[in-house]
Amino acid sequence: MSTDDLIEAFRAQLRDDPDVASAVAAIRALLGFLKRDRGETIQGLRSSLLDAIETLSRVDSSVAVSSGGELFLRFISLTSLEYSDYSKCKEIMIERGEIFLRKVSLSRNKIAKLCHPFIRDGARILTHAYSRVVLRVLEAAVESKKRFSVYVTESQPDQAGQKMAKALRKLDIPVTVILDAAVGYIMEKVDLVLVGAEGVVESGGIINKIGTNQIAVCAKAQNKPFYVVAESFKFVRLFPLNQQDVPDKFKYKADTLKTSQNLTEEHPWIDYTSPSLITLLFTDLGVLTPSAVSDELIKLYL
Amino acid sequence: MPGAAERGAELREQMEAFVARLRGGGGRPRSEDTARHTLALLRKIIAHGHWGSAGELMELIRAEGRRMAAAQPSETTVGNMVRRVLKVIREEYGRLRGRSEESDQQESLHKLLTSGGLNEDFNTSYPTLKANVIEAINELLIELEGTTDNIAMQALEHIHSNEVIMTIGYSRTVEAFLKEAARKRKFQVIVAECAPFCQGHEMAVRLSKENIETTVMSDAAIFAVMSRVNKVIIGTKTILANGALIAVSGTHTLALAAKHHSTPLIVCAPMFKLSPQFPNEEDSFHKFVSPQEVLPFTEGEILAKINVHCPVFDYVPPELITLFISNIGGNAPSYIYRLMSELYHPDDYEL
């Protein structure tokens, strides 16, 4: 399967199902790549997969695609350890890959089920930018007959907050779009903050759309709970200690990385929120405190 | 068989009596006694109930457990014991199937990637399952007996000579803890009386019988005295999954005062008080009793014009707690999630 076919398959996934997480689309594209791979050895498979993941991150440089790719690689390694015969191994991989994708498609519902009891009747929620998982959680809260109102930050530079507001209005939830700069002003009125995440790092912190860190700091200062909802395939093996430590390839879009002369003049798209500011993380593995995240990652990677 | 029907009826009766006692909520039952009663009842259900496979047994236990827990939601030890028994059943079943203990137990990324898609269905019946489960429950009961002693044994590491310790209300675990330390060390204790039930008085009387220098003071003076205190040691009703506490009313004030003065706050509680619930807004842990204690009914004129509440419990967030001392040792609040995964299975968090 050539690189163009792979990129086309990835783009097709995103087009056909706008609700799918980019990591899942990446894993599906990689599974398709695996099915069509003609190699005869695990090493060959691994190196062609590494190239494929490199290609995909040149299309979409987000953390999610990177974590999805790394998870897939880990999946291959784990399976190849159990079966030494290559063709049998490949069969099992494909079978398990399908099962994994099926399970992962249920993860948003699991998260919604865990999270919506934390939204009290009459609550005022603050959220940031556009997150499909948060949307699902709020949908579940509406289904359980709770009344609440939502403040969404406008989230420049792409105004993702407007998209979120539109989707929430369709669910008949009272929404107010606020300026990113107005978070400190609105925080006293808010009961809880609920955000999604593009990536969850080893320390239990999150990588999310720029502006999330500010919101977390304000929430901490005013003692409001800060909840994060994220699926488990977003866990990445990064341990940033500050904003500088987040790799440049995640901070800027793929095109910017290719064409820009001086990255310091570009605006980053994401920031890092430290675990001390996060109250709880809702994942399909359960409700986790930030300290429990590293345990999950260790169980997988070591 | 008349014997079985009789036993069935007797079991029914005991269950009803237990549920009625829980619902009545009178007195102040020891959490350990509640836990022991629950385990004994569950053991009877396993021994005499009608079930064929592990799946049916778990359903039966779950149904009975739900009833018992619903009778008195603030009595979380009942639910905890039910969940322990469910985990025991899963483990014994797994062992009979020949699976190792670690695999298949927890949800994890690893399991997501490697499982072949088969879910445990618990439908095979094994004749030795009943005996194994009952034996495991007997072990649990023995473990329960020893919890207070295990906690008290750690007292000498934490209490040093000439220290001033503060506590609130009456906790039997803290009483045993302090008594054990008093055998070898000389220290002072300040007890906050914990209005409106003033159980601090009873605590002070018991401590002074052991020749510990005790002072009783009102709850309002907690902050004023805190600067002189070296450590705060308290008991609790429940430990929640995020490391927070549901403790007697007044504990949050004590914890905030301790945080302000950077005084370590130590919580002595056995592991059966650890509940996998999170403090979500359902507020099901609250228990309100008659406001007679706060404003007696003789003050009729005022009562007509105001609302009076008498909550029994308080929520203490995990950031205010320094250390948990339990029968398995000392742990930080951020480690509670790990202890929980060892005691309970994630599918049982929701009974």
Side-chain angles (χ1 to χ4, degrees):
Chain A
M1 198 182 187
S2 71
T3 47
D4 290 326
D5 284 337
L6 178 64
I7 296 178
E8 188 42 46
F10 179 55
R11 288 225 175 94
Q13 291 284 349
L14 291 173
R15 249 192 330 250
D16 297 336
D17 189 2
D19 255 353
V20 78
S22 33
V24 177
I27 294 180
R28 251 188 222 141
L30 287 171
L31 193 62
F33 181 85
L34 171 66
K35 282 188 193 151
R36 289 194 195 82
D37 181 63
R38 296 260 161 70
E40 294 291 319
T41 64
I42 300 280
Q43 284 290 56
L45 176 65
R46 231 188 122 78
S47 73
S48 39
L49 271 175
L50 278 166
D51 289 331
I53 294 174
E54 182 61 39
T55 321
L56 283 178
S57 44
R58 261 181 270 130
V59 172
D60 180 352
S61 70
S62 66
V63 184
V65 167
S66 157
S67 76
E70 219 181 296
L71 203 61
F72 197 74
L73 268 180
R74 184 68 188 157
F75 163 63
I76 300 289
S77 318
L78 285 173
T79 323
S80 64
L81 282 172
E82 292 177 40
Y83 299 91
S84 44
D85 173 36
Y86 182 67
S87 49
K88 178 118 198 295
C89 190
K90 194 162 168 187
E91 246 175 66
I92 304 273
M93 274 190 232
I94 294 178
E95 190 188 315
R96 283 195 189 165
E98 302 287 348
I99 294 175
F100 174 69
L101 283 170
R102 237 177 294 142
K103 276 198 200 162
V104 141
S105 63
L106 298 168
S107 53
R108 277 197 198 144
N109 288 337
K110 268 198 220 170
I111 296 175
K113 197 163 143 233
L114 282 174
C115 188
H116 80 80
F118 285 71
I119 299 177
R120 215 206 300 244
D121 204 28
R124 286 160 300 188
I125 304 174
L126 173 64
T127 185
H128 183 58
Y130 180 66
S131 164
R132 287 164 289 218
V133 192
V134 173
L135 206 51
R136 185 77 199 83
V137 168
L138 295 178
E139 216 180 296
V142 167
E143 279 163 22
S144 60
K145 308 271 191 290
K146 296 205 187 143
R147 293 161 299 183
F148 53 92
S149 59
V150 181
Y151 293 99
V152 191
T153 56
E154 186 183 45
S155 181
Q156 295 283 14
D158 61 351
Q159 301 232 337
Q162 300 285 7
K163 198 166 155 207
M164 183 74 164
K166 205 158 130 222
L168 285 171
R169 273 187 207 112
K170 270 208 207 104
L171 295 169
D172 280 330
I173 300 175
V175 185
T176 315
V177 178
I178 61 172
L179 293 174
D180 295 340
V183 167
Y185 169 78
I186 208 87
M187 190 57 76
E188 62 188 29
K189 291 200 201 155
V190 155
D191 293 319
L192 64 107
V193 184
L194 184 61
V195 301
E198 293 196 25
V200 179
V201 297
E202 263 183 75
S203 57
I206 59 165
I207 294 186
N208 197 24
K209 183 85 187 291
I210 190 108
T212 313
N213 194 26
Q214 253 156 252
I215 300 181
V217 173
C218 283
K220 187 77 178 186
Q222 307 221 17
N223 266 323
K224 308 284 178 180
F226 186 85
Y227 298 131
V228 175
V229 283
E231 301 101 313
S232 60
F233 51 76
K234 291 183 177 165
F235 285 18
V236 294
R237 290 189 74 189
L238 271 178
F239 206 117
L241 295 173
N242 55 22
Q243 306 296 338
Q244 287 266 39
D245 286 344
V246 180
D248 277 343
K249 69 176 193 220
F250 296 142
K251 284 191 194 159
Y252 309 100
K253 296 259 184 236
D255 316 324
T256 325
L257 287 168
K258 270 183 264 191
T259 58
S260 145
Q261 308 287 52
N262 186 2
L263 274 178
T264 56
E265 287 177 13
E266 302 293 331
H267 294 293
W269 282 83
I270 55 159
D271 64 16
Y272 163 68
T273 306
S274 97
S276 54
L277 303 170
I278 300 173
T279 317
L280 285 176
L281 284 122
F282 297 90
T283 70
D284 49 325
L285 303 172
V287 187
L288 303 173
T289 47
S291 42
V293 170
S294 52
D295 224 34
E296 287 298 327
L297 276 167
I298 290 176
K299 273 193 233 165
L300 173 64
Y301 284 106
L302 288 170
Chain B
M1 261 171 46
E6 227 171 67
R7 269 178 286 153
E10 198 189 310
L11 184 56
R12 276 287 96 235
E13 221 177 271
Q14 281 172 342
M15 280 287 300
E16 294 302 323
F18 185 59
V19 170
R21 197 173 46 221
L22 275 179
R23 199 173 292 143
R28 207 172 148 249
R30 280 195 76 167
S31 294
E32 199 181 309
D33 291 336
T34 319
R36 208 175 303 128
H37 268 127
T38 316
L39 274 181
L41 267 174
L42 289 173
R43 186 176 52 184
K44 281 215 182 71
I45 295 177
I46 295 174
H48 305 312
H50 299 295
W51 54 275
S53 65
E56 282 171 34
L57 177 59
M58 294 205 310
E59 260 322 300
L60 182 62
I61 300 270
R62 216 172 267 145
E64 295 297 332
R66 239 172 283 162
R67 255 187 78 221
M68 291 195 279
Q72 183 65 268
S74 66
E75 206 50 65
T76 45
T77 23
V78 174
N80 297 345
M81 288 295 106
V82 173
R83 292 180 183 99
R84 288 294 288 272
V85 170
L86 286 171
K87 176 127 205 245
V88 159
I89 298 174
R90 281 173 203 269
E91 269 175 8
E92 292 301 324
Y93 183 78
R95 212 170 281 155
L96 285 173
R97 285 274 260 199
R99 269 192 232 280
S100 75
E101 279 187 45
E102 287 307 310
S103 67
D104 276 356
Q105 289 301 343
Q106 306 301 335
E107 268 301 335
S108 70
L109 275 177
H110 187 106
K111 187 178 160 207
L112 264 181
L113 293 186
T114 57
S115 78
L118 287 165
N119 269 325
E120 272 298 346
D121 58 1
F122 294 108
N123 274 340
T124 331
S125 104
Y126 289 100
T128 49
L129 184 65
K130 187 187 267 194
N132 287 359
V133 172
I134 294 190
E135 170 137 7
I137 295 187
N138 288 337
E139 273 172 33
L140 266 180
L141 277 166
I142 296 178
E143 187 191 310
L144 262 186
E145 308 279 319
T147 48
T148 319
D149 288 330
N150 280 334
I151 295 177
M153 271 186 335
Q154 302 171 54
L156 283 174
E157 293 164 14
H158 298 280
I159 299 181
H160 308 291
S161 282
N162 293 326
E163 278 199 328
V164 179
I165 313 263
M166 183 181 272
T167 185
I168 187 169
Y170 175 38
S171 161
R172 296 171 193 92
T173 317
V174 175
E175 184 196 340
F177 193 79
L178 293 174
K179 277 186 184 169
E180 178 66 29
R183 293 197 304 124
K184 294 242 173 84
R185 310 238 202 268
K186 201 113 194 70
F187 54 90
Q188 273 188 48
V189 178
I190 304 181
V191 184
E193 69 178 358
C194 187
F197 304 105
C198 292
Q199 282 157 347
H201 297 175
E202 199 184 332
M203 177 74 147
V205 165
R206 283 171 185 256
L207 286 178
S208 52
K209 280 208 186 101
E210 301 291 320
N211 291 325
I212 301 176
E213 205 180 315
T214 320
T215 317
V216 179
M217 33 152 262
S218 76
D219 301 339
I222 288 178
F223 193 89
V225 181
M226 187 57 78
S227 48
R228 301 217 202 161
V229 172
N230 295 114
K231 286 192 174 79
V232 180
I233 303 184
I234 57 175
T236 177
K237 179 77 179 165
T238 306
I239 305 175
L240 296 173
N242 60 346
L245 300 180
I246 302 283
V248 75
S249 190
T251 314
H252 196 170
T253 319
L254 182 61
L256 283 169
K259 186 80 179 184
H260 186 272
H261 288 95
S262 296
T263 312
L265 177 68
I266 300 177
V267 180
C268 291
M271 274 291 109
F272 63 78
K273 287 189 177 169
L274 177 55
S275 170
Q277 288 149 307
F278 277 88
N280 64 31
E281 311 298 347
E282 304 296 6
D283 284 336
S284 52
F285 308 115
H286 275 310
K287 186 174 162 193
F288 288 85
V289 293
S290 155
Q292 156 83 349
E293 309 288 336
V294 178
L295 197 60
F297 291 123
T298 46
E299 308 279 340
E301 272 172 43
I302 313 177
L303 276 180
K305 301 187 185 123
I306 59 175
N307 279 328
V308 188
H309 296 291
C310 186
V312 179
F313 298 119
D314 223 349
Y315 171 78
V316 184
E319 304 86 62
L320 302 175
I321 303 164
T322 318
L323 186 68
F324 280 105
I325 296 183
S326 70
N327 46 311
I328 55 178
N331 291 299
S334 56
Y335 196 62
I336 292 290
Y337 74 91
R338 190 57 186 267
L339 298 172
M340 238 181 30
S341 67
E342 284 171 10
L343 292 176
Y344 311 118
H345 191 276
D347 288 342
D348 299 329
Y349 290 172
E350 280 290 320
L351 272 185

